Amino acid sequence: MTAQIIDGNQLSKQLRTEVATRAQALKAKGITPGLAVVLVGDNPASQVYVRNKVKACEDSGLHSVLEKYEATMTEADLLARVEALNNDPAIHGILVQLPLPAHIDAQKVIEAISPAKDVDGFHIASAGALMTGMPGFWPCTPYGCMKMLESIGYDLRGKHAVVIGRSNIVGKPMALMLLQKNATVTICHSATPDLKAMTLQADVIVAAVGKRNVLTADMVKPGAVVLDVGMNRNDEGKLCGDVDFEGVKEVASHITPVPGGVGPMTITMLLVNTLEAAERASS
Ligand code: NAP
């Protein structure tokens, strides 16, 4: 079996066209969806991420503001900026790029964002909403994974999903989203004694670890769907995921590549959340 590739670039293009259409409809009512991206310091990877996010907004007809601050910015000043953005009617979504410099308490900053503008979905109110099935913003990366499953018409009811990784931004919300769609969910992590025994039972595997080759072909049940969230560098310095793509694609029914899989979907879901925030604010 050679797996069907779930193309994150292609799906993103489709979803971003839908975002642009909905943004146009809001503009006709005099509202331009707006995202504020706040970057503190000069982390090179963060600079690339924020540039991509701002460009994606522009391409889809969303208003975006990039606020860049020196790494020496105080926590109090950052909290004051977040508060000003909370009160800015032109801004519907606020994203503070992580990581923040060590002297700033990132959780405190995230909690300062109004839950109505928490388009990253990291606020405790957003986590609680996901946990309880209430309306809120879902974290973009696992939300993107759900859209990828939806794109292949995958019905999770009664299926066994194994999530590898339990971070607050990927693994845990991923598990809750799969559960909400009636999958039976197992969460694995660094203290899981026999990962292979778990993954071999899975109809769906989401790898969100940050280590190359965490998932190899011998760990995958034939016909399973494999989503690779990981972002690593291989020996040649090229971007790769957590999954041994070449091996696993011969066993899985569907697989996401890295690059061109979950990555572009993450930014796309940020646009979707920002649009949603603007729609909610306008209704
Ligand atoms: P993280 O906070 O470092 O979490 C990694 C998780 O993997 C932890 O729960 C850890 O377990 C678990 N783990 C580590 N080694 C393991 C092993 N050998 N077997 C099973 N589980 C193991 O990372 P994250 O923020 O969730 O991100 C995970 C990966 O996704 C990274 O490569 C990151 O760059 C990537 N990512 C990609 C996107 C995207 O847009 N494509 C977005 C976000 C993240 P413990 O909890 O026990 O330590």
Side-chain angles (χ1 to χ4, degrees):
M1 179 185 299
T2 297
Q4 193 181 315
I5 308 292
I6 311 178
D7 184 337
N9 284 322
Q10 199 186 319
L11 181 57
S12 281
K13 211 165 149 188
Q14 195 184 315
L15 291 171
R16 289 182 197 196
T17 304
E18 286 169 30
V19 166
T21 307
R22 279 164 64 189
Q24 270 311 115
L26 269 185
K27 275 188 194 169
K29 292 202 264 171
I31 300 151
T32 302
L35 173 72
V37 179
V38 181
L39 175 65
V40 183
D42 50 11
N43 179 313
S46 294
Q47 290 189 357
V48 174
Y49 294 149
V50 298
R51 252 202 323 271
N52 290 344
K53 287 167 186 173
V54 167
K55 182 170 184 314
C57 278
E58 283 163 6
D59 292 349
S60 297
L62 271 56
H63 166 62
S64 66
V65 180
L66 174 57
E67 297 195 3
K68 282 184 175 182
Y69 297 103
E70 298 290 324
T72 50
M73 184 185 209
T74 66
E75 184 180 282
D77 284 349
L78 179 56
L79 290 170
R81 271 317 300 152
V82 168
E83 187 54 21
L85 292 168
N86 282 341
N87 295 322
D88 183 344
I91 296 299
H92 303 95
I94 303 169
L95 181 154
V96 178
Q97 186 64 44
L98 302 177
L100 287 168
H103 65 277
I104 298 178
D105 180 345
Q107 198 55 40
K108 200 168 166 185
V109 174
I110 290 166
E111 297 314 322
I113 297 171
S114 161
K117 298 189 178 188
D118 177 39
V119 289
D120 247 346
F122 295 165
H123 195 288
I124 278 186
S126 302
L130 172 58
M131 170 106 188
T132 53
M134 302 293 284
F137 293 109
W138 284 6
C140 301
T141 300
Y143 191 9
C145 290
M146 293 305 284
K147 283 283 172 194
M148 292 180 116
L149 290 173
E150 200 182 300
S151 76
I152 59 165
Y154 195 83
D155 183 3
L156 283 159
R157 175 175 288 274
K159 297 294 198 307
H160 186 183
V162 169
V163 180
I164 319 174
R166 58 172 165 181
S167 70
N168 288 337
I169 63 168
V170 189
K172 281 184 209 159
M174 184 77 250
L176 288 167
M177 289 174 201
L178 293 162
L179 184 64
Q180 206 177 94
K181 293 290 179 194
N182 297 310
T184 301
V185 183
T186 301
I187 307 177
C188 300
H189 44 79
S190 65
T192 300
D194 188 351
L195 183 62
K196 181 176 171 179
M198 296 295 142
T199 57
L200 274 175
Q201 298 174 36
D203 301 301
V204 176
I205 303 171
V206 182
V209 175
K211 286 182 187 159
R212 280 167 62 192
N213 297 330
V214 152
L215 192 76
T216 47
D218 58 313
M219 300 168 75
V220 178
K221 182 167 83 173
V225 176
V226 176
L227 307 182
D228 191 353
V229 178
M231 286 199 307
N232 312 294
R233 295 274 163 195
N234 67 15
D235 293 337
E236 291 82 49
K238 284 193 182 150
L239 190 64
C240 67
D242 289 346
V243 175
D244 170 23
F245 182 82
E246 289 307 319
V248 172
K249 81 174 186 345
E250 299 305 324
V251 184
S253 67
H254 297 79
I255 189 167
T256 65
V258 179
V262 176
M265 291 298 292
T266 296
I267 297 191
T268 299
M269 300 326 290
L270 174 69
L271 303 179
V272 169
N273 278 349
T274 302
L275 179 78
E276 185 85 31
E279 287 177 345
R280 287 182 202 171
S282 74
S283 62

PDB file of all heavy atoms in Angstrom, residues 190-216:
ATOM      1  N   SER A 190       6.655  10.643  27.094  1.00  0.00           N
ATOM      2  CA  SER A 190       8.004  10.101  27.287  1.00  0.00           C
ATOM      3  C   SER A 190       8.054   8.980  28.322  1.00  0.00           C
ATOM      4  O   SER A 190       9.015   8.206  28.348  1.00  0.00           O
ATOM      5  CB  SER A 190       8.977  11.219  27.679  1.00  0.00           C
ATOM      6  OG  SER A 190       8.627  11.738  28.936  1.00  0.00           O
ATOM      7  N   ALA A 191       7.044   8.869  29.160  1.00  0.00           N
ATOM      8  CA  ALA A 191       7.045   7.792  30.168  1.00  0.00           C
ATOM      9  C   ALA A 191       6.194   6.593  29.724  1.00  0.00           C
ATOM     10  O   ALA A 191       5.981   5.670  30.510  1.00  0.00           O
ATOM     11  CB  ALA A 191       6.536   8.339  31.506  1.00  0.00           C
ATOM     12  N   THR A 192       5.736   6.612  28.485  1.00  0.00           N
ATOM     13  CA  THR A 192       4.982   5.458  27.963  1.00  0.00           C
ATOM     14  C   THR A 192       5.981   4.325  27.728  1.00  0.00           C
ATOM     15  O   THR A 192       6.935   4.491  26.962  1.00  0.00           O
ATOM     16  CB  THR A 192       4.278   5.845  26.636  1.00  0.00           C
ATOM     17  OG1 THR A 192       3.385   6.917  26.903  1.00  0.00           O
ATOM     18  CG2 THR A 192       3.514   4.673  26.050  1.00  0.00           C
ATOM     19  N   PRO A 193       5.791   3.163  28.385  1.00  0.00           N
ATOM     20  CA  PRO A 193       6.847   2.145  28.330  1.00  0.00           C
ATOM     21  C   PRO A 193       6.988   1.465  26.965  1.00  0.00           C
ATOM     22  O   PRO A 193       8.093   1.141  26.555  1.00  0.00           O
ATOM     23  CB  PRO A 193       6.436   1.129  29.405  1.00  0.00           C
ATOM     24  CG  PRO A 193       5.006   1.398  29.700  1.00  0.00           C
ATOM     25  CD  PRO A 193       4.698   2.807  29.295  1.00  0.00           C
ATOM     26  N   ASP A 194       5.871   1.238  26.270  1.00  0.00           N
ATOM     27  CA  ASP A 194       5.960   0.512  25.004  1.00  0.00           C
ATOM     28  C   ASP A 194       5.107   1.238  23.962  1.00  0.00           C
ATOM     29  O   ASP A 194       3.948   0.903  23.729  1.00  0.00           O
ATOM     30  CB  ASP A 194       5.470  -0.926  25.213  1.00  0.00           C
ATOM     31  CG  ASP A 194       5.720  -1.802  23.983  1.00  0.00           C
ATOM     32  OD1 ASP A 194       6.099  -1.252  22.928  1.00  0.00           O
ATOM     33  OD2 ASP A 194       5.524  -3.028  24.085  1.00  0.00           O
ATOM     34  N   LEU A 195       5.709   2.248  23.360  1.00  0.00           N
ATOM     35  CA  LEU A 195       4.981   3.098  22.405  1.00  0.00           C
ATOM     36  C   LEU A 195       4.441   2.272  21.232  1.00  0.00           C
ATOM     37  O   LEU A 195       3.300   2.433  20.807  1.00  0.00           O
ATOM     38  CB  LEU A 195       5.927   4.203  21.905  1.00  0.00           C
ATOM     39  CG  LEU A 195       5.327   5.238  20.955  1.00  0.00           C
ATOM     40  CD1 LEU A 195       4.194   6.015  21.623  1.00  0.00           C
ATOM     41  CD2 LEU A 195       6.405   6.204  20.460  1.00  0.00           C
ATOM     42  N   LYS A 196       5.252   1.355  20.760  1.00  0.00           N
ATOM     43  CA  LYS A 196       4.864   0.543  19.597  1.00  0.00           C
ATOM     44  C   LYS A 196       3.598  -0.267  19.885  1.00  0.00           C
ATOM     45  O   LYS A 196       2.725  -0.394  19.020  1.00  0.00           O
ATOM     46  CB  LYS A 196       6.028  -0.379  19.230  1.00  0.00           C
ATOM     47  CG  LYS A 196       5.782  -1.248  18.029  1.00  0.00           C
ATOM     48  CD  LYS A 196       7.031  -2.051  17.701  1.00  0.00           C
ATOM     49  CE  LYS A 196       6.742  -3.092  16.634  1.00  0.00           C
ATOM     50  NZ  LYS A 196       7.948  -3.859  16.275  1.00  0.00           N
ATOM     51  N   ALA A 197       3.500  -0.786  21.109  1.00  0.00           N
ATOM     52  CA  ALA A 197       2.311  -1.582  21.468  1.00  0.00           C
ATOM     53  C   ALA A 197       1.051  -0.726  21.368  1.00  0.00           C
ATOM     54  O   ALA A 197      -0.019  -1.212  21.025  1.00  0.00           O
ATOM     55  CB  ALA A 197       2.468  -2.142  22.881  1.00  0.00           C
ATOM     56  N   MET A 198       1.192   0.559  21.660  1.00  0.00           N
ATOM     57  CA  MET A 198       0.061   1.495  21.584  1.00  0.00           C
ATOM     58  C   MET A 198      -0.242   1.859  20.127  1.00  0.00           C
ATOM     59  O   MET A 198      -1.378   1.774  19.680  1.00  0.00           O
ATOM     60  CB  MET A 198       0.380   2.785  22.360  1.00  0.00           C
ATOM     61  CG  MET A 198       0.563   2.583  23.834  1.00  0.00           C
ATOM     62  SD  MET A 198      -0.981   2.046  24.562  1.00  0.00           S
ATOM     63  CE  MET A 198      -0.400   0.876  25.755  1.00  0.00           C
ATOM     64  N   THR A 199       0.791   2.264  19.398  1.00  0.00           N
ATOM     65  CA  THR A 199       0.550   2.760  18.035  1.00  0.00           C
ATOM     66  C   THR A 199       0.050   1.652  17.107  1.00  0.00           C
ATOM     67  O   THR A 199      -0.722   1.918  16.183  1.00  0.00           O
ATOM     68  CB  THR A 199       1.819   3.402  17.429  1.00  0.00           C
ATOM     69  OG1 THR A 199       2.880   2.442  17.454  1.00  0.00           O
ATOM     70  CG2 THR A 199       2.219   4.642  18.203  1.00  0.00           C
ATOM     71  N   LEU A 200       0.458   0.405  17.383  1.00  0.00           N
ATOM     72  CA  LEU A 200       0.008  -0.704  16.531  1.00  0.00           C
ATOM     73  C   LEU A 200      -1.502  -0.932  16.624  1.00  0.00           C
ATOM     74  O   LEU A 200      -2.088  -1.564  15.750  1.00  0.00           O
ATOM     75  CB  LEU A 200       0.760  -1.988  16.883  1.00  0.00           C
ATOM     76  CG  LEU A 200       2.097  -2.185  16.176  1.00  0.00           C
ATOM     77  CD1 LEU A 200       2.801  -3.430  16.695  1.00  0.00           C
ATOM     78  CD2 LEU A 200       1.939  -2.260  14.653  1.00  0.00           C
ATOM     79  N   GLN A 201      -2.120  -0.409  17.694  1.00  0.00           N
ATOM     80  CA  GLN A 201      -3.577  -0.553  17.852  1.00  0.00           C
ATOM     81  C   GLN A 201      -4.345   0.586  17.180  1.00  0.00           C
ATOM     82  O   GLN A 201      -5.570   0.572  17.153  1.00  0.00           O
ATOM     83  CB  GLN A 201      -3.944  -0.512  19.339  1.00  0.00           C
ATOM     84  CG  GLN A 201      -3.369  -1.617  20.172  1.00  0.00           C
ATOM     85  CD  GLN A 201      -3.678  -1.376  21.642  1.00  0.00           C
ATOM     86  OE1 GLN A 201      -4.740  -0.888  22.003  1.00  0.00           O
ATOM     87  NE2 GLN A 201      -2.732  -1.707  22.497  1.00  0.00           N
ATOM     88  N   ALA A 202      -3.608   1.580  16.685  1.00  0.00           N
ATOM     89  CA  ALA A 202      -4.277   2.832  16.297  1.00  0.00           C
ATOM     90  C   ALA A 202      -4.806   2.831  14.869  1.00  0.00           C
ATOM     91  O   ALA A 202      -4.138   2.366  13.942  1.00  0.00           O
ATOM     92  CB  ALA A 202      -3.290   3.987  16.451  1.00  0.00           C
ATOM     93  N   ASP A 203      -6.013   3.401  14.728  1.00  0.00           N
ATOM     94  CA  ASP A 203      -6.547   3.691  13.392  1.00  0.00           C
ATOM     95  C   ASP A 203      -6.031   5.050  12.918  1.00  0.00           C
ATOM     96  O   ASP A 203      -5.926   5.302  11.727  1.00  0.00           O
ATOM     97  CB  ASP A 203      -8.078   3.730  13.439  1.00  0.00           C
ATOM     98  CG  ASP A 203      -8.652   2.413  13.935  1.00  0.00           C
ATOM     99  OD1 ASP A 203      -8.376   1.383  13.294  1.00  0.00           O
ATOM    100  OD2 ASP A 203      -9.341   2.413  14.979  1.00  0.00           O
ATOM    101  N   VAL A 204      -5.783   5.939  13.894  1.00  0.00           N
ATOM    102  CA  VAL A 204      -5.246   7.276  13.600  1.00  0.00           C
ATOM    103  C   VAL A 204      -4.078   7.523  14.556  1.00  0.00           C
ATOM    104  O   VAL A 204      -4.205   7.264  15.756  1.00  0.00           O
ATOM    105  CB  VAL A 204      -6.317   8.377  13.847  1.00  0.00           C
ATOM    106  CG1 VAL A 204      -5.727   9.769  13.636  1.00  0.00           C
ATOM    107  CG2 VAL A 204      -7.519   8.173  12.940  1.00  0.00           C
ATOM    108  N   ILE A 205      -2.982   7.999  14.017  1.00  0.00           N
ATOM    109  CA  ILE A 205      -1.830   8.334  14.873  1.00  0.00           C
ATOM    110  C   ILE A 205      -1.463   9.794  14.615  1.00  0.00           C
ATOM    111  O   ILE A 205      -1.321  10.208  13.456  1.00  0.00           O
ATOM    112  CB  ILE A 205      -0.600   7.454  14.556  1.00  0.00           C
ATOM    113  CG1 ILE A 205      -0.941   5.955  14.698  1.00  0.00           C
ATOM    114  CG2 ILE A 205       0.578   7.819  15.469  1.00  0.00           C
ATOM    115  CD1 ILE A 205       0.158   5.009  14.193  1.00  0.00           C
ATOM    116  N   VAL A 206      -1.332  10.550  15.693  1.00  0.00           N
ATOM    117  CA  VAL A 206      -0.832  11.926  15.573  1.00  0.00           C
ATOM    118  C   VAL A 206       0.499  11.980  16.310  1.00  0.00           C
ATOM    119  O   VAL A 206       0.550  11.722  17.520  1.00  0.00           O
ATOM    120  CB  VAL A 206      -1.815  12.951  16.182  1.00  0.00           C
ATOM    121  CG1 VAL A 206      -1.273  14.366  15.980  1.00  0.00           C
ATOM    122  CG2 VAL A 206      -3.205  12.814  15.580  1.00  0.00           C
ATOM    123  N   ALA A 207       1.558  12.284  15.593  1.00  0.00           N
ATOM    124  CA  ALA A 207       2.882  12.366  16.208  1.00  0.00           C
ATOM    125  C   ALA A 207       3.229  13.817  16.461  1.00  0.00           C
ATOM    126  O   ALA A 207       3.324  14.613  15.521  1.00  0.00           O
ATOM    127  CB  ALA A 207       3.923  11.714  15.301  1.00  0.00           C
ATOM    128  N   ALA A 208       3.369  14.179  17.730  1.00  0.00           N
ATOM    129  CA  ALA A 208       3.680  15.570  18.111  1.00  0.00           C
ATOM    130  C   ALA A 208       4.729  15.547  19.209  1.00  0.00           C
ATOM    131  O   ALA A 208       4.455  15.854  20.368  1.00  0.00           O
ATOM    132  CB  ALA A 208       2.412  16.288  18.569  1.00  0.00           C
ATOM    133  N   VAL A 209       5.933  15.187  18.814  1.00  0.00           N
ATOM    134  CA  VAL A 209       7.010  14.955  19.786  1.00  0.00           C
ATOM    135  C   VAL A 209       8.159  15.940  19.601  1.00  0.00           C
ATOM    136  O   VAL A 209       8.628  16.569  20.553  1.00  0.00           O
ATOM    137  CB  VAL A 209       7.516  13.492  19.674  1.00  0.00           C
ATOM    138  CG1 VAL A 209       8.718  13.260  20.582  1.00  0.00           C
ATOM    139  CG2 VAL A 209       6.407  12.507  20.019  1.00  0.00           C
ATOM    140  N   GLY A 210       8.635  16.055  18.360  1.00  0.00           N
ATOM    141  CA  GLY A 210       9.824  16.883  18.121  1.00  0.00           C
ATOM    142  C   GLY A 210      11.085  16.046  18.093  1.00  0.00           C
ATOM    143  O   GLY A 210      12.161  16.522  18.441  1.00  0.00           O
ATOM    144  N   LYS A 211      10.928  14.753  17.666  1.00  0.00           N
ATOM    145  CA  LYS A 211      12.100  13.873  17.510  1.00  0.00           C
ATOM    146  C   LYS A 211      11.927  13.081  16.222  1.00  0.00           C
ATOM    147  O   LYS A 211      10.859  12.498  15.994  1.00  0.00           O
ATOM    148  CB  LYS A 211      12.200  12.895  18.687  1.00  0.00           C
ATOM    149  CG  LYS A 211      12.663  13.537  19.968  1.00  0.00           C
ATOM    150  CD  LYS A 211      12.790  12.520  21.093  1.00  0.00           C
ATOM    151  CE  LYS A 211      13.098  13.230  22.397  1.00  0.00           C
ATOM    152  NZ  LYS A 211      12.763  12.428  23.574  1.00  0.00           N
ATOM    153  N   ARG A 212      12.989  13.042  15.440  1.00  0.00           N
ATOM    154  CA  ARG A 212      12.925  12.295  14.168  1.00  0.00           C
ATOM    155  C   ARG A 212      12.690  10.814  14.407  1.00  0.00           C
ATOM    156  O   ARG A 212      13.192  10.238  15.373  1.00  0.00           O
ATOM    157  CB  ARG A 212      14.253  12.445  13.447  1.00  0.00           C
ATOM    158  CG  ARG A 212      14.400  13.739  12.717  1.00  0.00           C
ATOM    159  CD  ARG A 212      15.843  13.928  12.298  1.00  0.00           C
ATOM    160  NE  ARG A 212      16.282  12.876  11.384  1.00  0.00           N
ATOM    161  CZ  ARG A 212      17.554  12.681  11.046  1.00  0.00           C
ATOM    162  NH1 ARG A 212      18.494  13.435  11.559  1.00  0.00           N
ATOM    163  NH2 ARG A 212      17.871  11.726  10.206  1.00  0.00           N
ATOM    164  N   ASN A 213      11.951  10.209  13.475  1.00  0.00           N
ATOM    165  CA  ASN A 213      11.750   8.756  13.451  1.00  0.00           C
ATOM    166  C   ASN A 213      11.163   8.178  14.733  1.00  0.00           C
ATOM    167  O   ASN A 213      11.464   7.034  15.096  1.00  0.00           O
ATOM    168  CB  ASN A 213      13.061   8.028  13.107  1.00  0.00           C
ATOM    169  CG  ASN A 213      13.547   8.398  11.723  1.00  0.00           C
ATOM    170  OD1 ASN A 213      12.728   8.705  10.848  1.00  0.00           O
ATOM    171  ND2 ASN A 213      14.846   8.407  11.513  1.00  0.00           N
ATOM    172  N   VAL A 214      10.343   8.952  15.415  1.00  0.00           N
ATOM    173  CA  VAL A 214       9.621   8.438  16.586  1.00  0.00           C
ATOM    174  C   VAL A 214       8.627   7.367  16.136  1.00  0.00           C
ATOM    175  O   VAL A 214       8.332   6.428  16.867  1.00  0.00           O
ATOM    176  CB  VAL A 214       8.904   9.610  17.310  1.00  0.00           C
ATOM    177  CG1 VAL A 214       7.673   9.151  18.049  1.00  0.00           C
ATOM    178  CG2 VAL A 214       9.857  10.289  18.278  1.00  0.00           C
ATOM    179  N   LEU A 215       8.150   7.523  14.900  1.00  0.00           N
ATOM    180  CA  LEU A 215       7.190   6.559  14.371  1.00  0.00           C
ATOM    181  C   LEU A 215       7.768   5.945  13.089  1.00  0.00           C
ATOM    182  O   LEU A 215       8.008   6.645  12.108  1.00  0.00           O
ATOM    183  CB  LEU A 215       5.850   7.245  14.067  1.00  0.00           C
ATOM    184  CG  LEU A 215       4.700   6.286  13.775  1.00  0.00           C
ATOM    185  CD1 LEU A 215       4.188   5.654  15.073  1.00  0.00           C
ATOM    186  CD2 LEU A 215       3.563   6.977  13.053  1.00  0.00           C
ATOM    187  N   THR A 216       7.967   4.638  13.148  1.00  0.00           N
ATOM    188  CA  THR A 216       8.509   3.924  11.981  1.00  0.00           C
ATOM    189  C   THR A 216       7.471   2.914  11.482  1.00  0.00           C
ATOM    190  O   THR A 216       6.483   2.629  12.170  1.00  0.00           O
ATOM    191  CB  THR A 216       9.833   3.219  12.357  1.00  0.00           C
ATOM    192  OG1 THR A 216       9.632   2.517  13.599  1.00  0.00           O
ATOM    193  CG2 THR A 216      10.958   4.210  12.536  1.00  0.00           C
TER     194      THR A 216
END
